[in-house]
Amino acid sequence: MFSSVAHLARANPFNAPHLQLVQDGLAGPRSNPAGPPGPPRRSRKLAAASVEEQYSCDYGSGRFFLLCGLGGIISCGTTHTALVPLDLVKCRLQVDPQKYKGIFNGFSITLKEDGVRGLAKGWAPTFIGYSMQGLCKFGFYEVFKVLYSNMLGEENAYLWRTSLYLAASASAEFFADIALAPMEAAKVRIQTQPGYANTLRDAAPKMYKEEGLKAFYKGVAPLWMRQIPYTMMKFACFERTVEALYKFVVPKPRSECSKPEQLVVTFVAGYIAGVFCAIVSHPADSVVSVLNKEKGSSASLVLQRLGFRGVWKGLFARIIMIGTLTALQWFIYDSVKVYFRLPRPPPPEMPESLKKKLGYTE
């Protein structure tokens, strides 16, 4: 299995080592015989932490992973719960486009029919479900990133770092969606079926009585379809955007930036990643919303009935929600790391051993 993972990493079409070396200005003499390579930059390992700071634990330790999981709980649980009104309207746009014509019309109808309290429907399963998802998403991402880095070795982990981010985030999200699925199913029932149930305490027993455990997990496959591409984009795009911002936009190295300045970069990179995440994952999100509303349906039937235009209903609302959500999640997650004094690796640079192989250092 490990060898196949390494093979997939080497086959990644998005970030070939030669292309990355050219982008970094470090292409070897064979690639650029007309001129000498640029001056080597200060080397940092992908998983290295600054020795100048006093950290509360070692990078990759059990305490580090646990506190990262706590950061995931706080960042995902609070942000998703805060955006429940927008999520509710987005779900209703997806499952009943004839009644809800747009985001503002959706809010208007919801307020008219259910009042202000109606906008908070589904907050309990949202908070519980996405807290558990955050625990697995961020905690396991750090675990798999360390695991796959060790499997690839320092040099390959640098050369294939985009593939590393994609593989680690996909692996983490696989388990995160299993934790999320039951609460997501209950949330959609509460938000999109008038009169079905108003609270998690009412919805969960009713769902179990009608369909058994299947009611809570029949949406897990569509969740994987929605969340795994979303999370892969969320983490890989964020990591590479942070790297690009420090390289091309921020006028000084990260080590010279204050903690608030670093968190601003985190927020901006998170929002950029969030916009791409929303677009990539929206069709599957539409299928999940409709599937959890209807009994006895399947993902393929729902997809066939919605059609190409139908799966893009509510995209504008989702871009607003996911862009803000992703930016806030990364900001909160990074803030938790700062608060607990966890190692926060700087943007990766070429290892010294690779520079020696390429003849850039003696």
Side-chain angles (χ1 to χ4, degrees):
M1 182 184 74
F2 291 162
S3 61
S4 63
V5 172
H7 174 72
L8 287 174
R10 288 192 292 271
N12 170 45
F14 299 106
N15 193 33
H18 174 74
L19 175 61
Q20 185 59 45
L21 295 178
V22 172
Q23 290 173 342
D24 288 347
L26 292 169
R30 294 181 182 177
S31 302
N32 186 21
R41 296 179 296 170
R42 185 172 46 183
S43 176
R44 300 186 187 112
K45 294 181 181 179
L46 180 66
S50 172
V51 297
E52 298 175 0
E53 298 185 50
Q54 294 296 320
Y55 296 123
S56 62
C57 62
D58 294 329
Y59 183 87
S61 65
R63 176 180 170 83
F64 174 80
F65 293 136
L66 286 174
L67 289 176
C68 286
L70 175 62
I73 290 174
I74 296 171
S75 65
C76 291
T78 56
T79 52
H80 277 279
T81 305
L83 291 175
V84 160
L86 186 59
D87 184 47
L88 181 146
V89 173
K90 182 265 301 178
C91 285
R92 291 183 174 182
L93 282 170
Q94 292 170 329
V95 302
D96 195 355
Q98 300 301 320
K99 180 178 180 180
Y100 302 94
K101 305 299 183 181
I103 181 172
F104 298 109
N105 176 256
F107 270 108
S108 177
I109 294 175
T110 300
L111 285 170
K112 184 178 179 179
E113 293 182 349
D114 302 326
V116 176
R117 293 185 63 182
L119 292 174
K121 276 187 174 181
W123 74 267
T126 297
F127 178 74
I128 297 170
Y130 283 94
S131 293
M132 294 300 98
Q133 187 209 36
L135 168 67
C136 298
K137 185 199 295 273
F138 284 93
F140 284 161
Y141 173 70
E142 300 289 356
V143 171
F144 283 115
K145 189 163 71 166
V146 171
L147 174 64
Y148 295 158
S149 293
N150 292 337
M151 287 166 50
L152 292 172
E154 183 184 32
E155 295 177 4
N156 285 331
Y158 170 79
L159 291 173
W160 302 102
R161 59 191 181 279
T162 301
S163 296
L164 174 64
Y165 303 144
L166 292 170
S169 56
S171 301
E173 189 60 39
F174 177 85
F175 296 101
D177 289 341
I178 295 173
L180 170 64
M183 294 296 102
E184 180 74 0
K187 182 204 74 171
V188 172
R189 292 286 182 96
I190 294 169
Q191 290 182 339
T192 62
Q193 292 190 19
Y196 184 83
N198 290 321
T199 66
L200 175 62
R201 187 166 46 190
D202 295 333
K206 191 172 183 179
M207 292 170 64
Y208 182 77
K209 183 178 179 180
E210 291 175 348
E211 301 181 63
L213 287 176
K214 180 184 176 182
F216 299 100
Y217 286 100
K218 71 177 184 179
V220 71
L223 263 181
W224 283 328
M225 291 167 54
R226 180 187 83 182
Q227 290 296 132
I228 290 179
Y230 162 84
T231 300
M232 292 171 71
M233 180 68 72
K234 175 178 181 175
F235 283 84
C237 184
F238 171 80
E239 298 268 21
R240 295 312 300 261
T241 301
V242 167
E243 186 178 338
L245 288 175
Y246 280 114
K247 184 176 181 180
F248 300 111
V249 179
V250 180
K252 54 186 176 181
R254 200 193 81 158
S255 58
E256 298 177 13
C257 295
S258 65
K259 290 295 190 296
E261 289 172 336
Q262 293 178 22
L263 291 174
V264 168
V265 174
T266 295
F267 184 86
V268 172
Y271 211 103
I272 293 171
V275 172
F276 287 101
C277 289
I279 296 171
V280 166
S281 62
H282 188 74
D285 181 66
S286 298
V287 174
V288 170
S289 296
V290 176
L291 184 64
N292 281 321
K293 179 190 174 185
E294 299 177 350
K295 299 179 185 176
S297 189
S298 67
S300 59
L301 290 175
V302 170
L303 186 61
Q304 184 178 8
R305 180 161 54 83
L306 288 176
F308 180 80
R309 293 186 63 181
V311 297
W312 294 105
K313 288 285 186 180
L315 177 61
F316 178 67
R318 184 166 171 79
I319 286 176
I320 296 174
M321 184 181 80
I322 296 300
T324 305
L325 190 76
T326 305
L328 288 174
Q329 283 180 359
W330 277 114
F331 182 84
I332 294 170
Y333 179 66
D334 218 20
S335 297
V336 170
K337 282 188 169 183
V338 170
Y339 178 80
F340 286 107
R341 295 183 293 110
L342 298 183
R344 298 164 62 239
E349 290 190 6
M350 182 178 287
E352 287 295 335
S353 59
L354 189 56
K355 287 183 179 180
K356 290 180 179 179
K357 287 183 179 179
L358 297 174
Y360 301 130
T361 59
E362 297 182 359

